[in-house]
Amino acid sequence: MAEQPVCFITGGASGIGAACVRRFAQAGYRVGFGDVQLDKGRGLANAIGAGALFVPLDVRHESDFAAAVQAVVARFGRLDCLVNNAAISGVLGPIAQVPMEEYDYTCAVVQRSVFIGTQLAAQVMQPQRSGAIVNIASIAGITGGAGPHVYSACKAAVIALTQSVALELAESGIRVNAVAPGNIETPIHTGVTDERWTTRMARIRPLHADDQAIDRMGQPEEIAHAVAWLASDAASYVTGHTLVVDGGFTAGRPWRKQPGHWRELHRTKRGSAQ
């Protein structure tokens, strides 16, 4: 019987990260995951059982990240997949008013952590001559107006890094891809990770329901399915790709929100052609 594959997920205690932890465990992976949310992380690991390992992790610090990867490899013996998921919405506000210390903090969590994680994963995976890295990007890194300035810039950098590193690591049998979620129901929209996020999400949900062609916000599990597919052998010929999972947000303005005369002209033309 083939050895169970091993995945490590950052920011795995809640939101998309927690959905990925559960999805990879269901797919037969042994799963290591890290987060600064210690109680949530330990609770999720206990719920999954012996095939899961939670490690405290602040992705801003290279030494913490290295220790976390080492702990996963020591426990499970290998690393087949890394999901760089940890992120925050980061500093908000007009460009002229962004404090540089908050800029640096946001970049450290959202973009620098992806670089660190990818570097550490490559060090483990290259001797194996196999592996998959999946970075969680965002539609904010693809189109304007979908996120705050610094967050958007960092997510665009994640996409560029994904493409660049994919070209190098393909020669070591390692695939590197990204997923760009749209409006997903996670705590990042609410600014809190405790029980208050449910109440806040109930207020936010209707505001985003009409943003995309599919008239609802997405669920973390829908992103986890895309991540798991990119990590699997079913995507063995896919690398350097950013898979957009956004309900049609980046495709354009939903048809129901198009100017009425467009729809009327369409009907008129159809009638004249018959």
Side-chain angles (χ1 to χ4, degrees):
M1 181 177 179
E3 187 176 8
Q4 282 182 285
V6 177
C7 182
F8 181 58
I9 299 164
T10 68
S14 64
I16 291 171
C20 286
V21 170
R22 290 188 289 266
R23 180 67 185 86
F24 277 88
Q26 291 167 359
Y29 282 74
R30 293 170 292 173
V31 184
F33 65 104
D35 208 301
V36 294
Q37 301 177 79
L38 304 185
D39 290 342
K40 284 188 175 182
R42 290 166 181 151
L44 180 57
N46 289 337
I48 293 174
L53 172 67
F54 172 71
V55 290
L57 173 61
D58 185 335
V59 294
R60 294 175 300 157
H61 303 305
E62 183 181 3
S63 59
D64 286 4
F65 214 142
V69 171
Q70 290 168 7
V72 172
V73 174
R75 170 75 172 270
F76 298 127
R78 57 186 297 114
L79 180 64
D80 300 286
C81 175
L82 169 69
V83 180
N84 279 309
N85 165 75
I88 54 173
S89 56
V91 61
L92 308 175
I95 188 66
Q97 299 174 15
V98 172
M100 288 310 299
E101 63 271 19
E102 294 188 37
Y103 170 89
D104 290 338
Y105 183 91
T106 303
C107 290
V109 176
V110 181
Q111 189 273 326
R112 184 173 180 269
S113 69
V114 176
F115 184 92
I116 294 172
T118 301
Q119 185 178 66
L120 292 169
Q123 292 169 7
V124 178
M125 293 176 179
Q126 282 183 305
Q128 297 174 176
R129 305 291 299 176
S130 66
I133 298 170
V134 183
N135 300 320
I136 304 301
S138 171
I139 58 170
I142 296 173
T143 185
H149 296 319
V150 182
Y151 177 88
S152 299
C154 288
K155 289 300 189 179
V158 168
I159 292 171
L161 182 67
T162 297
Q163 294 173 329
S164 183
V165 175
L167 301 178
E168 176 194 349
L169 295 187
E171 297 182 5
S172 298
I174 302 164
R175 296 182 300 104
V176 186
N177 292 290
V179 174
N183 286 318
I184 308 300
E185 293 190 18
T186 71
I188 201 169
H189 281 281
T190 68
V192 295
T193 57
D194 56 26
E195 63 278 357
R196 293 175 296 167
W197 95 269
T198 303
T199 302
R200 293 189 182 187
M201 193 71 251
R203 295 198 300 267
I204 292 170
R205 188 179 295 116
L207 303 178
H208 287 298
D210 207 34
D211 288 350
Q212 53 279 312
I214 298 176
D215 57 350
R216 63 173 176 83
M217 294 185 73
Q219 296 300 311
E221 291 75 17
E222 293 175 299
I223 304 303
H225 288 311
V227 173
W229 179 75
L230 283 173
S232 74
D233 289 342
S236 59
Y237 200 53
V238 180
T239 198
H241 179 66
T242 297
L243 176 60
V244 176
V245 185
D246 69 350
F249 186 103
T250 53
R253 185 164 45 184
W255 181 249
R256 61 186 173 274
K257 297 174 75 173
Q258 299 286 0
H261 68 274
W262 286 16
R263 298 192 295 274
E264 183 60 35
L265 180 62
H266 176 68
R267 286 193 291 268
T268 302
K269 285 185 174 181
R270 284 187 60 191
S272 63
Q274 291 176 352

